Amino acid sequence: MKNQVLNIAFVAALALGFTSCKNEVKDSDTTDAKEVAAATDSASMYTIKNGDSKIMWEGNKPTGTHTGTIAINEGSVYVNNGVVESGKVVVDMKSINVTDLEADNGKESLEQHLMGTVEGKEGDFFNVNKYPTATFEITGTNMVDGVAQLSGNLTMKGKTNNVTFPVRVMEEGNMVRLESDKFEIDRTLWDIQYGSKKFFDNLGDKFISDMMTLQINVVAAK
């Protein structure tokens, strides 16, 4: 009975955290890669539940917006009194999913283009056959105005940069959830140049914004 009450409370906390998520998008603080953090002995290790963890993404261009998800393959986080001390997340880049288009109406072709599985267009975006995974390795957490700012080395397409973004940490029983606010990264820093006005002239309204919006949801258990 006690476990059932804890589970219900945890679900309620997750729902509250999700519905209270801020709508505004924040720029991430992006710098050179930093030293990966080590957990203290008092931190608890949580193993990521890949079926419940994912990244939401959004890309923009003058003629519209595309949205989707990417699955988190595996990983672990070390949490101490609500503070994320260390951890690593592995992202399955072959799981790129477009959510704003219907099947047989552009969805599959866009997914294939993003993954780079179209012959001759492998390098336009993520080239998943060459780079099947991306990783995020935590380098530290700082509190700013009472909000946790999580920093980590994000590696995609063989390029690594350190990014910092706001995150909420919810612990209950043997489970923990990490939920970020929406934040933006400059995709060109990871060698994703297709449609960028930084690298191509005379694009007119065919350009794609360099800024890519992400939101991370991680569920993990002891």
Side-chain angles (χ1 to χ4, degrees), residues 199-219:
F199 300 94
F200 300 96
D201 297 324
N202 303 316
L203 290 173
D205 65 354
K206 304 297 184 183
F207 73 90
I208 300 171
S209 173
D210 292 340
M211 304 309 293
M212 182 178 181
T213 301
L214 302 176
Q215 185 176 18
I216 299 171
N217 282 307
V218 169
V219 178

Side-chain angles (χ1 to χ4, degrees), residues 58-66 110 195 205-209 211:
E58 181 178 309
N60 296 283
K61 56 185 179 178
T63 55
T65 298
H66 290 300
L110 179 55
D205 65 354
K206 304 297 184 183
F207 73 90
I208 300 171
S209 173
M211 304 309 293

Side-chain angles (χ1 to χ4, degrees), residues 84-96:
V84 182
E85 291 189 347
S86 181
K88 180 178 180 179
V89 176
V90 180
V91 180
D92 179 9
M93 298 306 295
K94 292 187 176 182
S95 71
I96 292 174

Side-chain angles (χ1 to χ4, degrees), residues 46-62:
Y46 295 84
T47 301
I48 290 173
K49 298 169 68 68
N50 58 0
D52 299 321
S53 303
K54 62 184 177 181
I55 298 171
M56 282 74 74
W57 60 264
E58 181 178 309
N60 296 283
K61 56 185 179 178

Side-chain angles (χ1 to χ4, degrees), residues 1-161:
M1 181 67 180
K2 182 179 179 181
N3 288 336
Q4 183 178 10
V5 171
L6 286 174
N7 288 335
I8 292 172
F10 184 66
V11 171
L14 298 189
L16 179 60
F18 183 80
T19 56
S20 64
C21 177
K22 297 177 182 178
N23 291 322
E24 65 266 23
V25 178
K26 303 176 183 297
D27 290 338
S28 66
D29 181 13
T30 304
T31 63
D32 293 337
K34 298 180 180 179
E35 183 178 355
V36 174
T40 61
D41 292 339
S42 56
S44 298
M45 187 191 82
Y46 295 84
T47 301
I48 290 173
K49 298 169 68 68
N50 58 0
D52 299 321
S53 303
K54 62 184 177 181
I55 298 171
M56 282 74 74
W57 60 264
E58 181 178 309
N60 296 283
K61 56 185 179 178
T63 55
T65 298
H66 290 300
T67 60
T69 62
I70 309 175
I72 293 176
N73 237 5
E74 59 183 352
S76 59
V77 291
Y78 292 80
V79 181
N80 190 357
N81 291 323
V83 176
V84 182
E85 291 189 347
S86 181
K88 180 178 180 179
V89 176
V90 180
V91 180
D92 179 9
M93 298 306 295
K94 292 187 176 182
S95 71
I96 292 174
N97 175 44
V98 174
T99 56
D100 65 290
L101 297 175
E102 299 291 336
D104 300 319
N105 192 25
K107 174 180 169 68
E108 294 87 353
S109 61
L110 179 55
E111 290 172 347
Q112 291 163 9
H113 192 193
L114 292 173
M115 287 188 284
T117 56
V118 179
E119 186 175 358
K121 297 183 178 182
E122 292 85 353
D124 284 356
F125 289 98
F126 295 102
N127 198 355
V128 299
N129 287 327
K130 185 176 181 180
Y131 305 102
T133 62
T135 61
F136 181 76
E137 296 184 88
I138 293 168
T139 59
T141 301
N142 290 314
M143 298 300 293
V144 177
D145 297 328
V147 179
Q149 305 290 322
L150 184 66
S151 298
N153 293 331
L154 176 60
T155 300
M156 294 189 295
K157 294 188 72 175
K159 305 289 185 182
T160 303
N161 295 285

